[in-house]
Amino acid sequence: MAGIRDVAKLAGVSTATVTRALRDEASVTAATKAKVRAAALRLDYVPSAAARALSRGRSNLLGLFVPDITNPFYAQVAQGLEDRAAEARYHCVIASSHLNPERERHLLTSFQDGTLAGLAATTVGTDEGFTTALGATRGPLVLVDRRPRGIKAPLVRTDNRKVTRGAISQLFEMGHTRIAMISGPRDFDTACQRLSGFRLAYKAAGTALPDELIRHGHLGEAGGYKAMNELLELDPRPTAVFCFNNLVTVGALKAIREARLRIPTDISILAFDDMNLFPLVDPPISAIDQPAYEMGRAAADLLLRQLDGERGLGDVVLPATMIMRESLAPPSTR
């Protein structure tokens, strides 16, 4: 492969001039730029990402922090971010906190040395010390899915409140009047927004919402399993359950199976966040689907725009869709 010295030799200029010409700097004349570009084209010369990073005086690495890379939602976010970054000749470093705020804090600290050109993050840390450290991140910062309190940075998200209200309203239209929710942590804005949409659907239906039908603070399979067992002990038990995310749903399904209840005959299930497993189980699970891959691409695009000097970028709100499958049905009259 041709290198920068080959281009400089063919064009009859220095390697520094090649660099400046290909960066379209004003200090290089139009004639010299044309000569350098012609030489680069003739030699099929493409500057490496590393070389461009050095010439800019910054890294060519974008970082992504996620709570759990085994969650299919975050895996798709990572794929989207990585693909968009590659188009701009950036590489990605992806780190998972495993839902551990202390690990997240350590990861954040380790990348404060300028290793990353920019950072996209979905965080679980909520204490003041962590949010202060996140807000002091060097370089561009983009938030994905949720915003920690007090952090001012562009956020890529869906309209959690609106899509949840619409989905729960469909359950009321099916005839359900006792719908439960396994919610996320109270200090997660996504949990607050989805719970708000849930409450709005109850209000629109003119139905009172008993406190016992809401279970707070659950993120993974274990939390979903525990919360669903608690809901199944209620008398009367709910006829439908809305789960905060896909992994909570997996835990809830385990509890329903162990109780030997049938979906949707005995209880209907709706998940927030689809996953490849849901269409394959019996019955297939209905879900609110967030465009995770597109969210990752949008996050990378916001980072790249900041690296190009854009400021004051706003949030990106992408549409989520309701996927109806066989886990939802009118409540049994038996």
Side-chain angles (χ1 to χ4, degrees), residues 66-258:
V66 296
D68 183 1
I69 197 61
T70 65
N71 185 325
F73 172 77
Y74 295 116
Q76 291 179 55
V77 168
Q79 186 64 63
L81 184 136
E82 193 169 35
D83 286 352
R84 178 65 185 92
E87 292 171 7
R89 298 182 179 275
Y90 278 82
H91 303 290
C92 293
V93 175
I94 300 169
S96 175
S97 67
H98 305 299
L99 302 174
N100 184 332
E102 191 59 37
R103 176 180 170 85
E104 190 173 65
R105 186 180 290 104
H106 174 73
L107 288 168
L108 182 61
T109 301
S110 69
F111 285 115
Q112 295 285 28
D113 60 355
T115 301
L116 300 177
L119 174 66
T122 301
T123 64
V124 294
T126 57
D127 65 82
E128 184 177 351
F130 174 78
T131 55
T132 299
L134 182 63
T137 298
R138 294 177 58 180
L141 172 66
V142 172
L143 305 170
V144 181
D145 192 41
R146 59 178 172 261
R147 183 191 304 280
R149 187 178 292 109
I151 300 299
K152 295 180 180 179
L155 169 68
V156 179
R157 63 179 180 88
T158 56
D159 193 333
N160 290 277
R161 183 180 293 104
K162 180 180 179 180
V163 71
T164 297
R165 177 180 178 175
I168 302 305
S169 292
Q170 289 188 54
L171 295 185
F172 278 110
E173 291 169 4
M174 286 182 177
H176 292 278
T177 57
R178 192 165 168 80
I179 307 167
M181 178 177 180
I182 303 176
S183 187
R186 297 174 188 266
D187 51 4
F188 279 20
D189 65 342
T190 46
C192 294
Q193 292 160 10
R194 292 170 198 174
L195 180 57
S196 175
F198 185 80
R199 292 185 185 278
L200 287 171
Y202 259 88
K203 183 177 181 179
T207 303
L209 174 56
D211 291 341
E212 66 182 5
L213 292 182
I214 300 175
R215 302 289 150 156
H216 291 279
H218 302 285
L219 283 175
E221 293 180 31
Y225 177 78
K226 177 179 181 293
M228 180 57 79
N229 277 321
E230 293 171 355
L231 290 171
L232 294 180
E233 291 176 357
L234 298 177
D235 186 18
R237 67 173 178 249
T239 60
V241 178
F242 171 53
C243 297
F244 172 72
N245 68 14
N246 47 18
L247 297 185
V248 165
T249 307
V250 172
L253 292 173
K254 180 182 178 182
I256 292 170
R257 185 185 68 231
E258 290 181 358

